[in-house]
Amino acid sequence: MAKQLAPLARSLAAMPGEIGVRPEAVLMISGHWESDAFAMMHAARPKMVYDYFNFPAHTYEIEYAAPGAPALAEKVAGMITAAGLPTRLDGEMGFDHGCFVPMAVMYPEADVPLFQVSMRHGYDPAQHMALGRALAPLRDQGVLIVGSGLSYHNLARFGPQARVPSAAFDAWLGEALAREPEARTAAILDWESAPHARECHAQEDHLVPLFAALGAAEDAPAACVYHQTEVFGGVTASSWRFG
């Protein structure tokens, strides 16, 4: 598995150098945390959340001991509230694997403050785009905003049967993200019209982080920073950076 995912690991490891500056903090929107509101991680020392099943024993002993950012979380919660969106502080939530896995590759020393904001139940694209817009000022304040998901996520259809739908959806996504800002936003909001959309995302929890990331950088150009075919036996997957 490590060999198969080596291209993804290389792209994540390259991210700090591509950004060029050390962030003041990382704000992660993971496809593994959702709530009734946009919940904001508020712990000073977040715990680990091993939100997977039947994995090797050592995967339940992983520690990613990055500090949280409770003061910044309070500020961000205020920004979200000011945008008319429901939010709450959550002092119990820890780092889920959609967060700590990429961060362990990006910043292995775990020395950058890290906190998460949840998705909201229902996965409304416009509301998650609005979340991103509320977070946008953070980009000028040294905060790196990361949407962690997967451009194809249908666990019942991995392997060769994913080959055609994932390639078609990935091609559409790349073309949509290359459009001018207004057309790009419109296309992403209407993502269910894409080829094989619901085959690729029977439940769109792993696509929703993209809505927020795009909303936070709505006028910035998109660059594909990772592209791979035949992952997990047939999946085409990509990642993008905005700005």
Side-chain angles (χ1 to χ4, degrees):
M1 183 65 73
K3 183 178 180 181
Q4 182 178 171
L5 294 176
L8 176 58
R10 286 194 295 271
S11 75
L12 290 169
M15 191 179 295
E18 292 170 351
I19 294 168
V21 295
R22 177 188 170 88
E24 297 294 325
V26 174
L27 172 57
M28 182 80 70
I29 302 125
S30 162
H32 290 272
W33 186 26
E34 62 180 83
S35 182
D36 57 340
F38 291 115
M40 187 68 55
M41 183 182 288
H42 193 228
R45 286 287 172 182
K47 62 187 179 182
M48 302 297 292
V49 177
Y50 305 114
D51 52 341
Y52 35 72
F53 304 95
N54 298 319
F55 274 47
H58 73 272
T59 65
Y60 297 91
E61 300 174 359
I62 295 170
E63 291 290 334
Y64 188 74
L72 182 56
E74 293 169 13
K75 173 184 174 180
V76 175
M79 294 164 63
I80 296 171
T81 298
L85 301 171
T87 189
R88 63 179 177 82
L89 296 172
D90 189 320
E92 297 300 319
M93 180 62 184
F95 300 137
D96 64 55
H97 82 272
C99 177
F100 70 74
V101 171
M103 284 296 294
V105 182
M106 293 163 59
Y107 296 102
E109 299 301 319
D111 55 354
V112 177
L114 171 64
F115 66 118
Q116 295 181 237
V117 59
S118 76
M119 302 177 294
R120 193 177 182 207
H121 295 327
Y123 309 133
D124 180 67
Q127 193 166 83
H128 287 83
M129 193 85 74
L131 168 67
R133 294 184 187 116
L135 301 177
L138 297 173
R139 299 180 70 231
D140 295 324
Q141 299 169 22
V143 178
L144 174 62
I145 299 170
V146 180
S148 173
L150 192 61
S151 57
Y152 175 94
H153 195 259
N154 186 338
L155 296 180
R157 294 180 62 84
F158 271 25
Q161 59 189 330
R163 190 169 288 122
V164 170
S166 68
F169 185 79
D170 188 86
W172 173 86
L173 196 54
E175 187 276 330
L177 292 175
R179 298 179 189 178
E180 293 299 314
E182 185 174 347
R184 177 173 67 180
T185 295
I188 297 303
L189 289 174
D190 191 33
W191 74 273
E192 287 185 86
S193 297
H196 302 279
R198 279 298 177 187
E199 284 183 77
C200 296
H201 296 280
Q203 179 172 299
E204 61 267 38
D205 49 347
H206 277 63
L207 185 63
V208 167
L210 175 67
F211 304 155
L214 177 57
E218 205 162 7
D219 295 327
C224 184
V225 294
Y226 161 74
H227 177 77
Q228 190 173 357
T229 60
E230 298 297 317
V231 190
F232 306 120
V235 173
T236 295
S238 298
S239 298
W240 288 268
R241 183 180 68 242
F242 300 108

